[in-house]
Amino acid sequence: MNLPILNQFSEWNPQLVREIKGRFRLRNILMVIGISILSQVILFFSTFDKFPGINKIKLSSPYCPSQNQGFQAYEKQYWQIQDKLVNITDATKRSVLEQQLKTLEKLKNSDCPHNLIDFNHWFTDYWTNIFIWISVLAVFSLIVLGTYMLINDLATEERRGTLNFIRLSPQSAQTILIGKLLGVPSLVYLGILLTIPYQLWAGISANISPLETLSFYGLTVASCAFFYSLALLVGLTTSSWLHGLQSWVGSSFILMFIWIANNKVITHDGWDWLNLFSPTCLLRYLINRTGESYLNYPFSHANIQQLEWFGLGIGENGVSLWGLALLNYAVLTYWIWQALKRNYNHPNLPALSKKQSYLLTISFTLLALGFTSADFESVYNDSSSIFIANIFLILGLIFALSPQRQTLQDWVRYRRERKQYWWINLGNDLVWGDKSPAIVAILINLLIASTIWIVTISLIVKPSEKNQMLLAVGLHLSFMLLCASIGQLMLMMKTPKRTLWAAGIVSALLVIPPFIIVLLFSSHGGSDAAYVWSALSFISVSSATTSSILMSLMGQGLIIILCNVQLTRLLKKAGESELKALATGIKAP
């Protein structure tokens, strides 16, 4: 496809033009236009068959408001007669009352006179329904199809070897990645753009102002920016060990995540954070402005008006919810792009620098804490979500900060070449260096999160709950440091599948112990104390004995020490082997 406008874009972003030219072929364009128009036609007629001129409207219908009082009177008489029948034994009287019930039943189910039907109300609901369904279908199509296409495109580029060729171009990483983000799902964009006139018309007909519709579009764009950036990161970092399955796995996980976020009710704990990851959380406010209830529509985000963040009533109005959702997307997208640019320019280095990881932990912990701080008092019910969120954060940091085997070998060799000065700046290297083991950095990240939690506990938690909360923090820190130590040790394996092995072992540590506990204790109570040996140790602090908690901490500490001693031994051995190999190469003629 060659258009004059593309030549102008080629100066700004050649990668974007390359992607558009590869996809905007006549057959693809006609197919997208056909699918988009057909979907709109089906949506138009899907509810139009309920038009009052085609189907009968009952007296009980909200579209027959002038007769609703008559219906309520019939309903009242009907139940009064039902109550009388209970106490009447005379057959003649019962017969008369039963005949009255039949008459009232017919009156209740009678049709509303055509001239009394409120057609304006019906059309408002009809266009509201069209507006909602276009919004929901557009969000799912953009996020799920777009992420699949982006991950699949990067996997294809990696498989063909063209990704490294693109890396050699003079374009910056940001230019190329933006070109991918805008160009790869461009056909999806075209299909959604074709629905905008219809949706705007539906919104205006449903008394939803274009400005409010545009605010929903803005939140959808921010959502796509977040999920597409995440898809690019998944595509760049998993191309070597998922063998082409990453597009299906990634898009499936995102589909499940969006589905859960859309169906979740507000529970006044950290899980409320999930509601902000779907743009449909804003739809209730748009519909409620029309005077209609949103409860009968899909993904109603029940009780979203009660959403709180650091005690502020964010859900009380749509503007504050919109602002917090944009802040959420902006913060997380920023950190994803830091990892994207770094991984694209230096694929052999960790995805994040250690300094970036510390700042990420601060922002992530504060975001999550905002949804929990109002009820940060019950270890089991309210604060459990913040520990689980931190598990996902630390799990991501383990693989984002841990260098590969060759990188660690180079780092050890460099330090050993300095001979008696090897210990100089070792601490600085472990805290800030990109090529050193990640254990110290993971510990610092855990301490950062724990410090924020401890300050919160000291300020708002009841004195009777503080000791349990502090124990929960200590057990969580210990277990996650254990996972990090094992993960880094696995990455020292000689097998090319070491990343997959490390991910499998760490995932097993997180999943298998709770699973075994559930199996063993499902038939009787008292299972909470057993969780002291798992990633869900925060559940156990209220029921586990002091001795079992101390044994758990000592056992995990011992394993952490052994793992790091073994890691040190492997690093020394690898460094000696590298030096011997270099020395042999130098001496050879």
Side-chain angles (χ1 to χ4, degrees), residues 16 55 71 222 352 407 432 455 484 514:
L16 173 59
N55 282 317
F71 171 80
L352 288 173
T407 304
W432 305 106
V455 171

Side-chain angles (χ1 to χ4, degrees), residues 354 357-358 361 394 427 430-432 438-451 481:
K354 291 175 179 176
S357 75
Y358 305 146
T361 298
I394 298 302
L430 292 172
V431 174
W432 305 106
I439 304 301
V440 174
I442 296 295
L443 175 60
I444 292 174
N445 279 289
L446 285 167
L447 290 174
I448 290 171
S450 300
T451 301
L481 189 61

Side-chain angles (χ1 to χ4, degrees), residues 542-554:
S542 59
S543 55
T545 62
T546 304
S547 60
S548 62
I549 292 174
L550 290 175
M551 286 179 61
S552 176
L553 289 172
M554 291 173 61

Side-chain angles (χ1 to χ4, degrees), residues 316-329:
E316 292 177 0
N317 64 80
V319 176
S320 58
L321 182 78
W322 183 77
L324 182 60
L326 283 181
L327 175 66
N328 177 57
Y329 285 132

Side-chain angles (χ1 to χ4, degrees), residues 373-437:
S373 58
D375 296 295
F376 202 76
E377 296 183 1
S378 172
V379 177
Y380 184 83
N381 293 322
D382 298 318
S383 61
S384 60
S385 56
I386 204 167
F387 290 112
I388 294 175
N390 192 255
I391 288 174
F392 285 103
L393 171 66
I394 298 302
L395 189 62
L397 289 178
I398 289 172
F399 295 100
L401 296 177
S402 298
Q404 294 292 333
R405 177 184 173 86
Q406 185 58 52
T407 304
L408 287 173
Q409 286 179 338
D410 295 340
W411 176 75
V412 173
R413 186 188 67 195
Y414 168 75
R415 297 199 65 83
R416 289 186 67 85
E417 285 174 350
R418 301 176 67 175
K419 297 181 181 178
Q420 69 268 30
Y421 304 109
W422 65 269
W423 46 268
I424 296 178
N425 294 328
L426 177 60
N428 186 66
D429 229 8
L430 292 172
V431 174
W432 305 106
D434 292 335
K435 299 181 179 180
S436 60

